[in-house]
Amino acid sequence: MQDLSRLSHTRNFEKGTVIVAQGDEADIVGNVVSGVVKLTNMSMSGQQNIVGLLFPSDFFGRAYAETSRFSYEAATDVTLCSLGRQAFEGFIARHPEVEHALLLNTLDELDAAREWAAMTSCHTTMQRVATFLFILSQRSDNRFCHSGDKIPHVIIALPIGRRDIAAYLGTTPETLSRNLQTLVRKQILRPIDTNHFELVNASELVELTGEMREDLESMYGTGKLKA
């Protein structure tokens, strides 16, 4: 940790800032401390596709790559604990146990990406929306108690715009809005404002995903959402 702390420093980025652009030199890596980072890919036709979201504790950037294959953009105000890529490569060479942990994390990301691809190809829109919201609830630090409550409630903050979320989930903004309205009518969510919802009934949300809660938590509850 002492070795790592000498190499790292904190950097802040305002919402909408491009941290690393696609095709640029991949000169930094690190961890997301707070906020959400959006990964996008620009196709040959000029269409921008969201390929991932990074949350607090997620690894940022890629070692052993000279250029970035994706654009990293601050979806919210973001704080990163960053290191120079070459310095980090030297660090993991000195600490093979960290390199081993990084490999395991990468394999977990690959598994999660495959699970997400399977889910988006065969699940209904509501199942995809419910899964996405459950993932956000697991990655959220926004918990509070109403007066007299013993169990903290979770606030789900949509980290990107609804048009981007719809594209990410393979649907339309109108269909996404209808599904959100259905969740509100079923009293699973309580709207706070346009981009914030209180999760009122997590069990019913999980039921709508079509997945077992244990499977969702093992796949996406510990920092593995990359797809």
Side-chain angles (χ1 to χ4, degrees), residues 12-218:
N12 298 309
F13 298 89
E14 293 183 354
K15 178 180 178 180
T17 303
V18 175
I19 303 167
V20 178
Q22 182 177 343
D24 282 0
E25 182 182 358
D27 57 352
I28 62 171
V29 298
N31 282 92
V32 179
V33 177
S34 64
V36 180
V37 175
K38 176 174 67 174
L39 278 71
T40 61
N41 176 266
M42 186 71 72
S43 68
M44 294 293 292
S45 62
Q47 181 177 357
Q48 187 180 66
N49 301 300
I50 299 175
V51 297
L53 297 173
L54 301 181
F55 295 86
S57 80
D58 284 343
F59 187 77
F60 170 89
R62 179 177 173 180
Y64 308 114
E66 294 185 359
T67 58
S68 178
R69 295 181 61 186
F70 308 107
S71 288
Y72 293 79
E73 179 182 333
T76 65
D77 290 344
V78 168
T79 299
L80 300 179
C81 178
S82 63
L83 308 85
R85 177 181 58 82
Q86 292 182 342
F88 180 70
E89 291 171 359
F91 171 79
I92 59 179
R94 296 190 300 273
H95 300 278
E97 68 279 6
V98 177
E99 187 174 31
H100 178 73
L102 185 64
L103 173 61
L104 292 179
N105 182 70
T106 301
L107 293 173
D108 285 340
E109 291 177 7
L110 179 60
D111 287 343
R114 288 168 172 166
E115 293 285 352
W116 183 257
M119 190 176 299
T120 54
S121 65
C122 65
H123 280 37
T124 67
T125 301
M126 175 57 82
Q127 287 174 322
R128 298 197 297 271
V129 170
T131 299
F132 181 71
L133 294 173
F134 180 77
I135 292 167
L136 292 180
S137 76
Q138 293 294 291
R139 308 305 304 275
S140 173
D141 293 328
N142 299 315
R143 298 172 184 270
F144 72 98
C145 288
H146 291 297
S147 178
D149 285 354
K150 294 182 179 180
I151 300 175
H153 295 256
V154 174
I155 299 298
I156 298 174
L158 303 182
I160 52 179
R162 295 196 183 192
R163 185 174 298 277
D164 283 343
I165 293 174
Y168 186 57
L169 297 179
T171 186
T172 64
E174 294 76 16
T175 301
L176 172 63
S177 293
R178 285 195 295 270
N179 279 271
L180 290 173
Q181 292 167 8
T182 298
L183 294 172
V184 171
R185 286 197 303 271
K186 290 178 176 289
Q187 298 184 338
I188 296 172
L189 300 179
R190 184 182 70 82
I192 298 173
D193 57 33
T194 305
N195 294 316
H196 294 83
F197 298 85
E198 177 187 352
L199 178 57
V200 179
N201 194 324
S203 297
E204 287 195 26
L205 183 65
V206 170
E207 186 174 345
L208 288 174
T209 68
E211 301 288 334
M212 298 293 292
R213 183 176 187 131
E214 294 79 7
D215 292 338
L216 290 170
E217 289 178 341
S218 65

